[in-house]
Amino acid sequence: METIKGYVEHIVYRNEENGYTVFNLNNDDGDLTCVGKLHYIEEGGLLELTGEYTTHRLYGTQLQVETARVCEPEDLVSIERYLGSGASKAIPVRMFLNCLMIKSFLKNKGRRRKHIHDATDLRLTTLFTCYIILLKVSG
């Protein structure tokens, strides 16, 4: 049994009647095709999967998923993927754009003066916390 964690990059196929889903998972090792009855997953979601590797005669190596756990976004990348996927209709586009602004700010943090950081960091930390709460409520 293998356990991997990654983002649902693209849902290739889904049978709406029985939930059988074929999707591409992006993880630290690259992209991986996964299959299983996962009617509840959405593109951009962070998943922890357990299953066995199989080789399909046409499509190659796949992970046959036995169990799946949807994980809460853990960092800015997770939140950006989640919000950008449109999985949560309750979160406005403006919040997604603000999330990108936070990401940009944190990338450039070392380039600004320290006294600017103190006030801005508090404001961004508060904003970031609000996003996490919204994600939990809307999820």
Side-chain angles (χ1 to χ4, degrees), residues 16-34:
E16 296 299 333
E17 291 180 18
N18 64 15
Y20 181 78
T21 306
V22 178
F23 63 98
N24 296 329
L25 188 80
N26 183 280
N27 65 4
D28 293 338
D29 298 329
D31 287 342
L32 172 66
T33 300
C34 302

Side-chain angles (χ1 to χ4, degrees), residues 82 87-88 90-91 133-139:
Y82 180 80
S88 177
I91 297 178
I133 292 167
L134 282 171
L135 287 171
K136 289 181 179 183
V137 168
S138 66

Side-chain angles (χ1 to χ4, degrees), residues 7 43-46 71-88 91-103 106 124-136 138:
Y7 301 98
E43 289 182 1
L46 180 61
C71 303
E72 291 182 5
E74 299 173 339
D75 54 20
L76 286 175
V77 174
S78 301
I79 292 173
E80 181 180 344
R81 284 177 180 252
Y82 180 80
L83 293 176
S85 73
S88 177
I91 297 178
V93 172
R94 184 176 50 160
M95 290 186 175
F96 172 64
L97 295 175
N98 283 339
C99 182
L100 294 178
M101 182 269 309
I102 291 171
K103 180 180 177 186
L106 293 175
L124 287 175
T125 302
T126 303
L127 184 61
F128 188 69
T129 303
C130 290
Y131 286 137
I132 297 296
I133 292 167
L134 282 171
L135 287 171
K136 289 181 179 183
S138 66

Side-chain angles (χ1 to χ4, degrees), residues 1-6 23 25 32 34-38 40 47-53 62-70:
M1 254 327 151
E2 295 286 331
T3 300
I4 60 170
K5 192 173 192 177
F23 63 98
L25 188 80
L32 172 66
C34 302
V35 297
K37 292 190 176 183
L38 303 159
Y40 51 87
L47 301 178
E48 185 176 84
L49 305 172
T50 303
E52 295 289 338
Y53 286 104
Q62 300 177 337
L63 181 72
Q64 177 64 49
V65 178
E66 298 292 325
T67 63
R69 182 176 69 88
V70 177

